[in-house]
Amino acid sequence: MNVPETFFSVHEELTLFGLSCLFGGLLGVGYDVFRTLRVMFPHRGWMVFAEDAVFLGIYGIFLSAFASAASRGELRFYFVIGNAAGFALYLATVGSIVIGTMKKLCYFVKKIIWIVSWPLRTFCIFISKKVAPKFVGCSKNTVNFIKKCGILLLKQPYLLYNKKESKKKGNVTKSAKKVKARKKRSVQ
């Protein structure tokens, strides 16, 4: 009876560790895509969190596919260590060069866009200076019309939202006391 082999030899384990280091470097290349997006389009922490969550999801899928294809579906801890070592080695060597180059390239492209868009920006500023006073004047006319129509809240000497609670707690304002005193005078 043939029993399938249930363990790896040392040579197979070293080969799998080397492959996991290599694929860790490839994961570093994938992570550089997210880092490049962060350089090109700076964004807030929640977006960085979402990108990292997507990356970890991709890594989880990759790790299970690697274990399934390379080691008969057996997930070994040294796969994760090899991935981390390859990832760190890539980020420390080639990754830093790639990100440095991308930062310089993005700065250069932004500078070119800034220079090329100068006529459009000045035209927009000129138009906004000409048009803005008309909109401000129009809004003032609208506000004055609403005031004339009496749509705004009536001005009252005081506002008392919860009369019962105020009487229980004794929270009567000075203006409320004045109104009560006027009522008493008018009754007498």
Side-chain angles (χ1 to χ4, degrees), residues 65-107:
F66 179 76
S68 177
S71 65
R72 299 183 300 255
E74 297 174 11
L75 180 63
R76 303 291 177 121
F77 186 64
Y78 62 85
F79 294 164
V80 177
I81 292 173
N83 288 151
F87 185 80
L89 186 64
Y90 172 80
L91 289 182
T93 56
V94 179
S96 62
I97 295 169
V98 168
I99 288 301
T101 305
M102 291 307 297
K103 284 181 181 179
K104 289 178 185 175
L105 183 66
C106 287
Y107 175 76

Side-chain angles (χ1 to χ4, degrees), residues 10-173:
V10 175
H11 175 65
E12 290 172 333
E13 286 183 348
L14 287 175
T15 303
L16 288 173
F17 182 75
L19 282 174
S20 65
C21 289
L22 178 69
F23 286 129
L26 291 176
L27 285 170
V29 172
Y31 191 68
D32 269 349
V33 171
F34 291 114
R35 287 175 46 182
T36 303
L37 286 173
R38 291 177 194 165
V39 168
M40 290 172 57
F41 309 107
H43 41 272
R44 302 206 183 265
W46 66 270
M47 192 67 173
V48 173
F49 172 77
E51 289 173 353
D52 287 344
V54 167
F55 177 75
L56 285 175
I58 291 169
Y59 175 66
I61 292 168
F62 162 78
L63 189 61
S64 63
F66 179 76
S68 177
S71 65
R72 299 183 300 255
E74 297 174 11
L75 180 63
R76 303 291 177 121
F77 186 64
Y78 62 85
F79 294 164
V80 177
I81 292 173
N83 288 151
F87 185 80
L89 186 64
Y90 172 80
L91 289 182
T93 56
V94 179
S96 62
I97 295 169
V98 168
I99 288 301
T101 305
M102 291 307 297
K103 284 181 181 179
K104 289 178 185 175
L105 183 66
C106 287
Y107 175 76
F108 182 70
V109 168
K110 285 179 183 178
K111 202 66 160 170
I112 288 175
I113 291 172
W114 179 261
I115 291 169
V116 169
S117 68
W118 180 79
L120 180 65
R121 285 183 287 119
T122 55
F123 177 72
C124 289
I125 290 170
F126 174 75
I127 293 296
S128 69
K129 285 182 180 178
K130 295 291 183 185
V131 173
K134 292 183 182 183
F135 284 108
V136 171
C138 183
S139 68
K140 286 182 182 177
N141 291 338
T142 306
V143 169
N144 289 335
F145 175 74
I146 292 172
K147 283 182 180 179
K148 286 179 185 176
C149 292
I151 296 175
L152 296 176
L153 289 174
L154 297 174
K155 293 182 181 178
Q156 294 184 4
Y158 70 96
L159 291 175
L160 192 59
Y161 289 102
N162 197 345
K163 293 180 183 178
K164 291 180 183 177
E165 284 296 318
S166 295
K167 285 180 183 177
K168 286 180 188 175
K169 294 180 181 177
N171 294 336
V172 180
T173 61

